[in-house]
Amino acid sequence: MTRILRQLRTHAGRAAAVVALLAAALTGTAAGTATAAAPAATASVGGWTCPGTPVPDGYVITMFNSSGCNNHGAWFQAPAQNRLWTCSGSPIVSGYVLTNYNPQGCSGVGAWFHELVRNGIWTCPYSPIPAGYRSTSYDARGCNGLGAWLTIKA
């Protein structure tokens, strides 16, 4: 019985962490408070952070540790760079687009591949289309079966 309760708490904590991260990413504010320390805390820019910690401008979330922050999950924040896998719910830095998806990536949370926008790049659903570009053709096989749109200069 104790094992089942521990598993339920762990799953509930992970779900709460994902919801908090998505809320923070979508609203730009903390959706909760950081509790306990992750593998390296939240005082500096980047590094390991607890759920609800805002992601600084120009940073993305690249790893997830389900046992961090007292089993609520910890997220690793790193500066954005071209051709980088990021966790689902990570901010998308201006000038970048999503070009692939891995549902098992980021320790099972799901991961998106970020690339700098360029003429002729295929973009996934939910990807921003930066100013000066537009979407044209569609390929249902792109982005690991989610579909992709050809993005070209406007």
Side-chain angles (χ1 to χ4, degrees), residues 3-130:
R3 184 174 148 254
I4 293 170
L5 289 173
R6 190 174 26 243
Q7 285 178 333
L8 286 173
R9 276 197 313 263
T10 300
H11 292 300
R14 286 181 191 160
V18 170
V19 169
L21 177 68
L22 289 173
L26 294 173
T27 64
T29 61
T33 58
T35 57
T42 61
S44 64
V45 174
W48 286 101
T49 61
C50 293
T53 303
V55 179
D57 288 341
Y59 279 69
V60 292
I61 298 169
T62 59
M63 290 186 279
F64 176 67
N65 176 351
S66 62
S67 61
C69 295
N70 288 335
N71 290 322
H72 292 288
W75 304 92
F76 191 81
Q77 299 177 2
Q81 64 183 27
N82 194 29
R83 304 186 53 78
L84 179 69
W85 284 100
T86 63
C87 297
S88 292
S90 174
I92 303 167
V93 174
S94 179
Y96 287 84
V97 292
L98 305 176
T99 61
N100 205 351
Y101 177 68
N102 178 353
Q104 288 81 37
C106 203
S107 299
V109 176
W112 295 92
F113 197 65
H114 285 217
E115 291 189 67
L116 287 169
V117 68
R118 66 180 187 278
N119 192 45
I121 197 168
W122 288 90
T123 57
C124 298
Y126 316 111
S127 177
I129 304 301

